[in-house]
Amino acid sequence: MPGHRLLRSSISIARPGGAGGPMRLFLSPSELCSYLPDRQSANLFIDPREPLDVERYSALVRAGFRRSGRYVYRPHCAGCDACRPARIPVALFTANRSQRRNLRANADLAVVRRDDDFRESHYALYLDYQGRRHPGSTMGDADRDAYRSFLTAEWASTEFAEFRLGDELLAVCVYDVLDDGLSAVYTFFSRVGERRAIGKYAILWLIAHARQLGLANVYVGYWIAECRKMAYKAEFRPLQIFSDGQWLESPGP
């Protein structure tokens, strides 16, 4: 990986066929953190040449990794460990008053599960969302290939959940099906969806869907206690945080 430094790895994930061995890791160059602007950030990346499948990726997610496209990474910032992998154990989750209001407010929506094939309606909504939420960013200029490469990976079991009000597409929630849960990849929505707080509703739907599938967890990416953008994740209780090699319940928002 150009500009990335190879690190010695102590991570060992079972390979297809039962073989084992350490996986190669690359460290990205340091750059200004997009969540805590007074700090620098860097990520560890699994060597993209490593053969991955749902089983191996599930094990990596349980070890605090997640993916962006086909790249599997974990924050590795000098002098900072603010980014904490987070998950919701669905059997223990109970919606609070605000979340129950959200469920009632969005009870008129239909949810349609799709495979990861490209759909023009999804792409148009994605561009509209990026233009509103991240004006001027390169994500707002993504062509169809860049859009696909950001959301999908050939070795992942990825689904797209459409949230519709009649014929109107309000949101798309992209998630991976793991062997022990669902991993939220990305959610994008219209102005109407934003007014309905449909991002939170998507997490509530993922929790309900994981229960239906008999899966234990919903992985919601990284939580940063000091970042206001991440505050909504702490509203889902109990929230488990990966720390020192184990998942522990967060003490609270």
Side-chain angles (χ1 to χ4, degrees):
M1 301 177 68
H4 291 57
R5 180 162 55 91
L6 176 65
L7 297 182
R8 293 185 178 275
S9 169
S10 60
I11 295 175
S12 182
I13 301 295
R15 299 174 185 274
M23 304 177 75
R24 297 208 313 171
L25 294 175
F26 288 88
L27 179 64
S28 72
S30 181
E31 61 183 12
L32 189 65
C33 179
S34 59
Y35 295 105
L36 300 174
D38 59 332
R39 305 186 195 182
Q40 295 288 307
S41 69
N43 290 304
L44 287 178
F45 286 90
I46 299 294
D47 187 339
R49 293 169 293 187
E50 285 281 348
L52 292 179
D53 56 17
V54 171
E55 181 181 2
R56 296 188 75 204
Y57 178 55
S58 298
L60 286 167
V61 172
R62 287 193 293 274
F65 286 80
R66 67 183 280 104
R67 73 170 182 86
S68 176
R70 66 186 183 92
Y71 294 103
V72 179
Y73 72 95
R74 186 171 71 185
H76 189 78
C77 309
C80 179
D81 63 350
C83 293
R84 300 297 182 91
R87 74 181 186 186
I88 303 162
V90 300
L92 302 178
F93 173 77
T94 301
N96 61 26
R97 182 178 301 177
S98 173
Q99 290 158 351
R100 291 195 297 271
R101 285 198 302 268
N102 184 290
L103 288 167
R104 289 193 297 270
N106 290 294
D108 56 344
L109 299 184
V111 182
V112 182
R113 291 166 51 204
R114 305 286 192 184
D115 59 25
D116 64 354
D117 287 346
F118 176 83
R119 290 176 173 80
E120 195 67 39
S121 60
H122 294 182
Y123 176 59
L125 181 61
Y126 175 84
L127 292 181
D128 174 74
Y129 173 84
Q130 297 299 342
R132 287 184 289 106
R133 303 283 287 217
H134 307 291
S137 76
T138 57
M139 297 178 76
D141 296 325
D143 61 22
R144 289 164 177 78
D145 288 339
Y147 160 81
R148 287 274 302 157
S149 65
F150 171 55
L151 295 177
T152 65
E154 64 276 7
W155 41 260
S157 177
T158 306
E159 296 184 353
F160 286 56
E162 298 178 348
F163 296 81
R164 291 184 169 274
L165 182 62
D167 293 332
E168 184 180 3
L169 179 64
L170 299 190
V172 176
C173 174
V174 184
Y175 60 95
D176 291 334
V177 182
L178 309 177
D179 59 16
D180 73 322
L182 304 177
S183 178
V185 174
Y186 203 71
T187 298
F188 49 98
F189 39 80
S190 68
R191 293 182 187 275
V192 175
E194 185 171 6
R195 290 196 293 269
R196 285 172 167 256
I198 208 165
K200 293 181 182 180
Y201 181 67
I203 296 178
L204 293 168
W205 180 84
L206 286 173
I207 293 169
H209 187 43
R211 282 175 174 161
Q212 291 175 339
L213 296 176
L215 298 173
N217 303 295
V218 171
Y219 293 87
V220 292
Y222 297 109
W223 174 64
I224 305 172
E226 303 164 62
C227 179
R228 292 183 62 186
K229 293 179 182 178
M230 299 283 190
Y232 73 95
K233 295 184 181 182
E235 299 172 11
F236 293 86
R237 311 297 308 171
L239 186 72
Q240 293 181 344
I241 301 299
F242 188 73
S243 179
D244 296 326
Q246 56 186 328
W247 289 93
L248 303 171
E249 185 172 336
S250 167

